[in-house]
Amino acid sequence: MTDRETGRGRDTERPEGQEGVRGDGALARGRTETAEERADRQWQDLMQEIRVVQTGVQILLGFLLTVVFTPRYESLGSADKGIYILTVVLGSLATGALIGPVSFHRLVAGRRIKPETVAWASRLTFIGILLLLATLTTALVLILRVATDNAIVPWLVAGVLAWYLLCWFALPLWARSRHTAKMRE
């Protein structure tokens, strides 16, 4: 959890050279906003992010849930059926984690704990993304086992998984590290 996600610490979105006053009265670079304003902005940002990933995971889960009712399902071996069940469970868990922030917000709305709500929603979203990664990986394993020679499946899945890890984690962490270091100078 970063300072920006929790609403604590320095916010560095103000153009270089402009300064504001933090909630504790100290001079700081970044936006001049109250903790409530920051939480509202972060909540809106998080909801936009969740809308994108929620739609995809719900569509994926919908398709996965129909597979068991197709004639082809009965011809799957026990290993493939096990992979299918694991994939459906992971997809269900991902869906729950990604819908969780909405339910969380509804249950605590008006309690004046928006910064804490943002922090918990952010954690649930990150867990949902990890579960989505696992869902997509196991779905790919299952599909490729059915569609191609088993010998190539681990290589294809490893390549796609590496791509997900690069796009979803490595590049953002690299950019965060690189640009955060520049801001400190």
Side-chain angles (χ1 to χ4, degrees), residues 101-117:
V102 175
S103 176
F104 196 103
H105 183 261
R106 267 306 95 217
L107 291 171
V108 301
R111 305 286 180 179
R112 298 193 181 277
I113 58 170
K114 179 74 78 72
E116 293 83 359
T117 302

Side-chain angles (χ1 to χ4, degrees), residues 26-154:
L27 198 58
R29 295 165 105 24
R31 294 179 185 217
T32 305
E33 57 188 6
T34 66
E36 291 83 14
E37 290 169 334
R38 178 178 292 122
D40 287 341
R41 176 179 50 81
Q42 291 172 335
W43 181 257
Q44 291 305 316
D45 291 348
L46 187 58
M47 286 299 100
Q48 286 298 97
E49 294 164 3
I50 290 173
R51 279 185 190 103
V52 172
V53 73
Q54 239 180 21
T55 303
V57 77
Q58 288 171 337
I59 291 169
L60 174 62
L61 182 61
F63 282 120
L64 286 170
L65 292 174
T66 65
V67 168
V68 74
F69 300 106
T70 64
R72 176 82 168 137
Y73 180 78
E74 285 305 317
S75 68
L76 294 178
S78 61
D80 290 335
K81 286 181 179 178
I83 295 169
Y84 169 75
I85 291 167
L86 176 62
T87 303
V88 169
V89 169
L90 288 168
S92 296
L93 293 172
T95 300
L98 292 168
I99 293 173
V102 175
S103 176
F104 196 103
H105 183 261
R106 267 306 95 217
L107 291 171
V108 301
R111 305 286 180 179
R112 298 193 181 277
I113 58 170
K114 179 74 78 72
E116 293 83 359
T117 302
V118 170
W120 277 102
S122 181
R123 290 179 187 118
L124 282 169
T125 302
F126 188 74
I127 291 167
I129 289 169
L130 292 175
L131 289 165
L132 177 58
L133 175 68
T135 304
L136 289 170
T137 303
T138 57
L140 189 59
V141 167
L142 179 61
I143 291 166
L144 291 176
R145 282 175 52 97
V146 171
T148 189
D149 179 26
N150 279 339
I152 196 169
V153 170

